[in-house]
Amino acid sequence: MPHSPAPAIQTTPVPGTLLDTRFHVETPEGIDLVMRPAGLLVRALAFAIDLAIRGLILGVGFFLLSLLGQLGMGLGAIMFFLVNWWYMVLFEVLNQGRSPGKQYMGLRVVHDDGTPIGWAASLTRNLLRFVDVLPFAYAFGILSCLYSGTFKRLGDLAAGSLVVYRDTALQRPPLVAAEPLRAPFPLSLNEQRALMGFSERQAELSAARRQELAAILAEPLQVPADQAEHQLNRIASGLRGPV
Amino acid sequence: MRLTDASVAIRPRSNWEAIDLGVLLARQHLRLLFCSWLVITVPVFVLLTAVLWQFPSLSIFLFWLLKPAFDRLPLHVLSQALFGNVPSVKQAVKAWPRLLKPQLVKSLTWRRLSLTRSFDLPVMQLEGLNGEARSKRLVVLGQRSTGAATWLTVLGVHVESALVLGLSALFYLLLPQQMKTDWDWQSLINPQAGQWLWLEHLSNAGYVLVLAVWEPIYVACGFTLYLNRRTTLESWDIELTFRRLRQRLTGIAYVLVLGFAALLLQMPNAAWAADKPEPVGSCPIPFDDPVGPSKDRLLNQSLTSKAAQASIDKILDQPPFENRETVTRWRFGEDSKKAEKKKDSSSDSALVDGLKKLIEAWQGLKWVAVVVEVVLWGAVIALVALLIWRYREWLTIFTGRLSLPKRQKREVPSMLFGLDVAPESLPEDVASAVERLWAEQPREALGLLYRALLSRLLHDYHLPLKGSHTEGEVQQLVLNLEHNDLSRFTQVLTRHWQNLAYGHQAPPDSLKRGLCEGWRRLFQTGAQA
């Protein structure tokens, strides 16, 4: 049976009326890009990791350079300057917006429109870090981050940059084998996704909960409640098409 | 609880994203949470301060200990608001005493130091579980969220301290200078001096203020973390979509059945429009509505034309049909505030001091340092030179524009009509020379006079005379000077000079005196005086 998805019907409410952590950017071609801005806590953790790494570099560096006398002092000053002012900038621009801390926490820095961060924006946001630190211990940065809808600190506001979660590669979910069935009614994209999700997330759900969920659709499917789960799996299999 | 009423987008998120959603949720109800929190905490704080005036640390410790009791109010507000039932400040505060009853002592004692406090709170307060059931539930829920909930509390402590420190620093920065110099830090530290109690209480009040901002967010983050865990555990998002799908499908069926029944009922009534009054025109346009397009129609069904129009207008008022934009710009105010001075980072000097000691211990590599210094300076100079060389054209253009525009030097001709008009070629006393020459060589005499006039016009009156000017044009230029005597003199002299030069008509002798007197009056009065 050839796989022919039903025409999509938009029944879900307009995105944006509900509170959500997603941030939509529409490209000139009319493509909706979805980004997920990262909030204060995960960013604070990433910063703490970076801070520790920088502390380690400086500590080890100064210890080694202290053996070199005056030359070591000069090189130490240069190293301090580089680590203090260029660590974030160099990593962000040359490593796809990821400093080691951000990389570990699954974050990256992009421009507001989702393009990769450039020199100007990266320098701005990292030089203006000193405004965020004011009056002490990042107080302004914290407040700005909490109050801004896309979790921007003041440096981000000035530079037009955004810290987002990186998209991870999708894993192929385990699927329930069932004979494909064409849905007896047209389904919107969202509803198709929910049906697939029901089939894909079987492992996370208890049997009773699966029954309960499937029973919701028993009446429109015109099957008894105990057969609804199997019926839904078959429809999901039909939506997926031949593997 | 009805999932379809939820005011947040329900879908499985990562734990960090769930915490971010909590921040957004708290931000949405910022005013409500802030006000209700202050209403319940400020009286408690004032009471504690008044009772324990001598022991500010104890009073703030007790306040800190009571935090779980206060936390129940934001959770109550948020759980109501999540399903669209936002309470007012008054309603929320009234509900608080009722929320306090269950398990208060446990919350304030051995559960006080729990690192997953805000994540556990909904299980107790919203699910109403206690004892064994609660622990089991927490084990199930905590499988994947305990780590994030712990980080939330740990980072929350740091955020709290950072905000308190920031507030204190801001307070200190805003103090007037003369007040700061009066402060004796010895007496500030000395515990015997009791006059600084108010300062400690002030910093306690700062902590209360910081908590009013942060604690509702902390509770909201724990709440959304809990919601997210239940969403993944029970597939709330799938349930939500299934319910909507069912509503749509069964709803359509009902509408079809009803519509068909209504059609059947209406069929026998053949003449729907027969009793409507005919419009005046004998031949009405078929599609023209007799009652006009703006009147209400379709009044006998659930979706009237008015409701439809309202819904159409609503949709047309949203993107992509209507894109509203608020533009906010900065502009200069009445008085520009001075920017706060940046703190000097003192770590540099400490570093230098530490390293200076090392130099004294190690002098062997000194020459290497000198070499490196020379190399570095050389690199800087080379870089500057390279930049200048690279942008030399741009620099020349730029500096060319920068320099002052040169004053155009006026070129004064030395010959006009073949006459030498340089002042050096003229005799000292022109009038006497003319008088002397007049008898024998009238042509030379008149020529000298005219030459002298042109020379004076050029150098004394700065008339822009050029070699291409004719006598008539010179006369016109003199007229423009609006100097009556001079123009009359020029007129007479020019006429006679032209007569003599081109017409060979000798000037009358009577003219000699008039012209010489005129010359003396015009040009030699200053010299004689």
Side-chain angles (χ1 to χ4, degrees):
Chain A
M1 187 182 93
H3 172 62
S4 56
I9 302 162
Q10 192 66 41
T11 54
T12 48
V14 188
T17 53
L18 291 179
L19 195 65
D20 200 356
T21 47
R22 279 178 175 167
F23 179 66
H24 293 261
V25 175
E26 194 178 334
T27 66
E29 294 83 11
I31 299 166
D32 209 12
L33 294 180
V34 176
M35 293 190 285
R36 300 171 295 156
L40 172 69
L41 295 187
V42 65
R43 289 179 62 180
L45 213 52
F47 177 76
I49 293 171
D50 278 329
L51 197 67
I53 293 175
R54 277 187 284 181
L56 204 66
I57 293 175
L58 285 180
V60 172
F62 281 142
F63 176 74
L64 293 178
L65 289 174
S66 66
L67 304 174
L68 296 178
Q70 198 177 3
L71 172 69
M73 186 188 81
L75 293 180
I78 292 172
M79 185 181 73
F80 182 81
F81 169 74
L82 284 180
V83 171
N84 202 26
W85 290 104
W86 288 91
Y87 172 90
M88 287 287 191
V89 177
L90 290 176
F91 270 116
E92 279 171 9
V93 178
L94 302 177
N95 193 25
Q96 302 175 9
R98 300 170 299 182
S99 64
K102 291 194 184 72
Q103 179 138 22
Y104 184 76
M105 297 308 296
L107 308 177
R108 67 179 295 208
V109 189
V110 292
H111 282 139
D112 273 341
D113 53 3
T115 50
I117 189 110
W119 288 105
S122 184
L123 271 172
T124 311
R125 76 184 290 276
N126 283 304
L127 293 181
L128 286 181
R129 196 175 281 281
F130 270 79
V131 182
D132 284 301
V133 175
L134 288 175
F136 193 66
Y138 275 92
F140 284 173
I142 289 172
L143 290 178
S144 159
C145 212
L146 289 177
Y147 190 72
S148 154
T150 45
F151 313 118
K152 288 178 168 201
R153 61 177 177 81
L154 297 173
D156 283 322
L157 287 173
S161 60
L162 195 63
V163 180
V164 296
Y165 292 101
R166 273 205 315 280
D167 290 321
T168 47
L170 290 175
Q171 303 273 322
R172 182 182 282 272
L175 290 158
V176 179
E179 195 192 336
L181 176 77
R182 186 163 181 179
F185 32 74
L187 293 168
S188 73
L189 181 63
N190 234 354
E191 289 155 359
Q192 293 180 12
R193 277 191 185 143
L195 277 169
M196 300 278 286
F198 177 76
S199 178
E200 287 163 0
R201 279 151 62 180
Q202 299 253 319
E204 296 171 19
L205 301 172
S206 64
R209 179 64 182 161
R210 286 204 300 271
Q211 280 279 339
E212 196 183 354
L213 285 176
I216 297 171
L217 286 180
E219 193 190 335
L221 285 169
Q222 295 165 341
V223 290
D226 52 343
Q227 285 175 27
E229 186 188 340
H230 182 60
Q231 200 78 356
L232 287 180
N233 280 333
R234 286 183 63 192
I235 294 174
S237 181
L239 285 173
R240 189 181 70 237
V243 182
Chain B
M1 179 185 87
R2 288 184 59 197
L3 282 182
T4 42
D5 294 341
S7 64
V8 300
I10 289 181
R11 62 188 164 84
R13 293 178 169 84
S14 73
N15 282 327
W16 291 118
E17 277 182 87
I19 289 175
D20 298 345
L21 182 68
V23 175
L24 287 184
L25 188 64
R27 178 171 166 264
Q28 195 179 30
H29 305 288
L30 181 69
R31 187 177 298 232
L32 172 60
L33 289 172
F34 188 72
C35 293
S36 60
W37 178 271
L38 281 184
V39 166
I40 60 168
T41 53
V42 168
V44 175
F45 173 69
V46 169
L47 190 71
L48 282 174
T49 309
V51 172
L52 300 167
W53 181 255
Q54 289 301 320
F55 312 100
S57 311
L58 184 62
S59 105
I60 202 64
F61 174 73
L62 286 178
F63 184 82
W64 173 82
L65 205 62
L66 286 173
K67 258 159 72 174
F70 302 137
D71 284 349
R72 297 180 180 200
L73 182 64
L75 182 62
H76 170 73
V77 170
L78 289 169
S79 62
Q80 298 275 313
L82 185 70
F83 295 105
N85 181 21
V86 186
S88 68
V89 175
K90 201 173 167 187
Q91 287 168 335
V93 172
K94 267 187 182 170
W96 187 53
R98 182 171 51 77
L99 300 171
L100 280 180
K101 275 173 200 160
Q103 306 174 44
L104 183 63
V105 179
K106 288 181 194 173
S107 296
L108 296 185
T109 49
W110 67 83
R111 284 187 205 156
R112 177 65 188 86
L113 287 175
S114 158
L115 285 177
T116 54
R117 192 159 55 85
S118 66
F119 180 68
D120 298 348
L121 188 60
V123 177
M124 188 276 294
Q125 189 176 326
L126 302 180
E127 297 187 22
L129 298 180
N130 195 1
E132 190 75 11
R134 177 180 171 278
S135 334
K136 273 188 181 169
R137 183 82 176 133
L138 282 181
V139 168
V140 172
L141 288 179
Q143 274 169 355
R144 295 212 194 137
S145 300
T146 310
T150 309
W151 274 120
L152 173 62
T153 310
V154 171
L155 289 172
V157 171
H158 287 91
V159 169
E160 250 175 43
S161 2
L163 288 179
V164 168
L165 287 175
L167 194 64
S168 327
L170 191 65
F171 175 72
Y172 183 73
L173 288 175
L174 293 182
L175 281 181
Q177 191 63 43
Q178 62 268 34
M179 203 170 162
K180 260 186 245 182
T181 48
D182 289 349
W183 280 11
D184 182 7
W185 290 104
Q186 295 288 327
S187 71
L188 204 63
I189 298 163
N190 187 5
Q192 301 299 323
Q195 74 260 39
W196 294 108
L197 274 178
W198 66 268
L199 189 66
E200 288 191 46
H201 286 295
L202 192 67
S203 79
N204 289 354
Y207 181 64
V208 173
L209 191 65
V210 165
L211 272 195
V213 174
W214 170 248
E215 195 69 10
I217 297 176
Y218 171 67
V219 174
C221 290
F223 180 49
T224 46
L225 201 56
Y226 162 84
L227 285 180
N228 187 52
R229 182 64 188 135
R230 283 195 64 183
T231 303
T232 45
L233 210 57
E234 300 169 25
S235 289
W236 278 5
D237 53 326
I238 292 178
E239 180 182 341
L240 186 64
T241 319
F242 279 11
R243 283 199 188 283
R244 288 220 179 94
L245 177 61
R246 173 196 163 109
Q247 200 178 8
R248 175 164 74 83
L249 294 172
T250 49
I252 287 171
Y254 286 141
V255 168
L256 282 179
V257 168
L258 284 177
F260 193 58
L263 207 62
L264 281 181
L265 285 174
Q266 294 279 359
M267 269 308 188
N269 265 345
W272 284 337
D275 48 354
K276 289 257 167 85
E278 281 287 316
V280 182
S282 58
C283 182
I285 304 161
F287 48 79
D288 195 20
D289 192 2
V291 283
S294 56
K295 289 279 160 50
D296 288 356
R297 281 166 298 164
L298 311 176
L299 293 169
N300 296 326
Q301 60 186 59
S302 58
L303 186 69
T304 62
S305 67
K306 201 174 178 182
Q309 196 57 46
S311 122
I312 289 167
D313 286 346
K314 202 178 160 193
I315 287 170
L316 284 178
D317 202 33
Q318 289 168 350
F321 302 106
E322 189 79 27
N323 290 307
R324 293 208 171 81
E325 197 178 3
T326 310
V327 180
T328 311
R329 285 205 184 85
W330 291 97
R331 59 180 178 78
F332 286 109
E334 297 276 313
D335 49 343
S336 55
K337 289 171 188 169
K338 282 185 182 175
E340 285 176 33
K341 281 181 184 172
K342 258 192 188 175
K343 293 177 292 180
D344 285 339
S345 54
S346 57
S347 50
D348 279 326
S349 61
L351 168 80
V352 171
D353 286 341
L355 284 165
K356 262 181 189 168
K357 288 171 188 165
L358 288 165
I359 305 162
E360 290 158 11
W362 192 289
Q363 295 285 341
L365 285 171
K366 200 165 185 180
W367 63 274
V368 184
V370 174
V371 169
V372 171
E373 190 180 352
V374 168
V375 167
L376 284 177
W377 277 114
V380 169
I381 292 165
L383 190 71
V384 170
L386 188 74
L387 278 176
I388 291 173
W389 178 249
R390 172 75 180 76
Y391 293 105
R392 61 192 184 281
E393 287 174 7
W394 183 82
L395 275 176
T396 47
I397 292 167
F398 188 62
T399 47
R401 284 216 184 128
L402 260 189
S403 63
L404 289 170
K406 278 175 198 160
R407 193 174 222 155
Q408 203 84 34
K409 208 166 185 184
R410 198 163 62 90
E411 262 185 44
V412 181
S414 55
M415 298 279 279
L416 285 172
F417 326 114
L419 300 173
D420 190 358
V421 292
E424 303 83 42
S425 65
L426 296 171
E428 192 76 2
D429 188 358
V430 176
S432 316
V434 168
E435 277 171 346
R436 252 185 282 114
L437 283 172
W438 194 278
E440 294 107 55
Q441 297 168 302
R443 194 177 180 87
E444 267 72 31
L446 214 54
L448 176 64
L449 197 59
Y450 191 65
R451 207 150 59 87
L453 172 70
L454 289 177
S455 173
R456 289 301 174 113
L457 286 178
L458 267 177
H459 296 107
D460 292 1
Y461 291 90
H462 298 290
L463 265 188
L465 296 182
K466 289 183 290 190
S468 58
H469 277 139
T470 62
E471 289 89 343
E473 282 169 335
V474 172
Q475 216 175 328
Q476 190 57 44
L477 283 171
V478 173
L479 267 179
N480 290 346
L481 284 176
E482 296 187 3
H483 189 310
N484 279 335
D485 289 346
L486 182 65
S487 19
R488 208 177 306 121
F489 180 77
T490 311
Q491 226 168 347
V492 173
L493 179 58
T494 306
R495 195 175 70 238
H496 287 287
W497 166 245
Q498 280 175 325
N499 286 345
L500 177 68
Y502 305 117
H504 296 281
Q505 294 177 359
D509 266 350
S510 58
L511 201 65
K512 180 178 114 178
R513 198 166 160 268
L515 280 177
C516 289
E517 286 304 311
W519 175 267
R520 285 201 181 93
R521 203 167 50 249
L522 276 171
F523 298 109
Q524 283 184 346
T525 45
Q528 283 169 352

